[in-house]
Amino acid sequence: MRKRGSSWRRTHSNSRLKGLRPLAKGKRRHPVYEAALKLRPKLVKWRRHLHMYPEPSMGEHETAAYVVEKLREMGLDEMQTGVGETGVVCLVRGAKKRGRTVALRGDMDALELEEQTGAEYASRKPGLMHGCGHDGHTACLLGAASILNGMRERLAGNVKLIFQPGEEGSAGALKMIEDGCLERPKVSA
């Protein structure tokens, strides 16, 4: 474990990736890391859009439509909508048929709070805001979709992306499970 004030804080800060150490000559960053760096402007755009248009638990209709639109723009079309009422499930099939199906989940609902941040991307909906980070979860899951879709040829098995409604006390996960989100193909991890 590093001590306070060590180089970890400088190199892993949240300040727009400024503190990254230069790579040693001849070294390359992991391709997933490189893809994530390239995707960063889109991630910010997606998150800010979602932040501006929050929706309450089990009322994430516009959010689900936005998710579907972005997934289709990526070339992903194997998806189910209305799962657990307003959830979205998207399957990224790996080109290598042998392998498990794993799931990644992100929640989409907002809180019934009045946003007072003054940010240019603050909530446009009175009495609702993403105060719990679900806008970030959804944007990151869209980012994972983009990266995984670009890696299909190297994937063994599948990745099921679950965009969950109603995390804030509305039993959205249970409703999605009851609708079969962990089946066809069955999720093993």
Side-chain angles (χ1 to χ4, degrees):
M1 184 147 211
R2 295 177 189 250
K3 297 178 187 174
R4 287 182 183 256
S6 70
S7 64
W8 187 90
R9 188 174 278 160
R10 285 191 312 278
T11 59
H12 293 83
S13 70
N14 192 6
S15 61
R16 299 186 183 240
L17 306 174
K18 289 180 184 175
L20 290 175
R21 292 182 189 163
L23 290 174
K25 191 172 185 173
K27 296 273 184 167
R28 292 188 51 195
R29 290 189 177 104
H30 193 281
V32 172
Y33 183 80
E34 289 292 337
L37 285 177
K38 288 178 185 168
L39 195 57
R40 187 175 186 280
K42 282 186 179 180
L43 289 168
V44 170
K45 181 179 176 182
W46 296 335
R47 190 203 103 19
R48 287 183 175 183
H49 173 87
L50 293 162
H51 192 86
M52 288 190 293
Y53 303 101
E55 295 180 291
S57 289
M58 306 314 297
E60 306 92 338
H61 301 285
E62 291 173 22
T63 303
Y66 183 79
V67 164
V68 168
E69 175 188 333
K70 296 304 162 195
L71 292 170
R72 286 197 173 125
E73 285 175 8
M74 294 172 202
L76 293 164
D77 57 7
E78 193 170 346
M79 65 184 95
Q80 297 172 286
T81 59
V83 183
E85 292 182 34
T86 56
V88 177
V89 177
C90 178
L91 189 66
V92 179
R93 288 192 187 270
K96 299 176 182 178
K97 301 296 180 198
R98 294 188 130 192
R100 296 179 172 185
T101 297
V102 299
L104 299 176
R105 181 195 70 89
D107 27 32
M108 302 187 295
D109 55 334
L111 297 170
E112 293 182 14
L113 295 172
E114 191 68 40
E115 183 163 6
Q116 299 175 351
T117 63
E120 66 183 48
Y121 54 87
S123 174
R124 304 291 196 264
K125 294 190 175 183
L128 287 171
M129 77 172 283
H130 277 293
C132 245
H134 295 183
D135 51 343
H137 298 172
T138 302
C140 286
L141 195 53
L142 285 170
S146 178
I147 292 169
L148 290 164
N149 191 40
M151 300 174 54
R152 277 183 169 193
E153 296 304 314
R154 293 181 288 182
L155 285 179
N158 309 303
V159 180
K160 193 174 274 195
L161 306 166
I162 301 172
F163 294 87
Q164 181 198 321
E167 192 273 337
E168 296 293 346
S170 298
L174 182 58
K175 290 175 184 178
M176 289 191 82
I177 292 167
E178 288 170 350
D179 275 359
C181 76
L182 300 178
E183 305 299 325
R184 300 175 312 275
K186 186 169 185 61
V187 172
S188 57

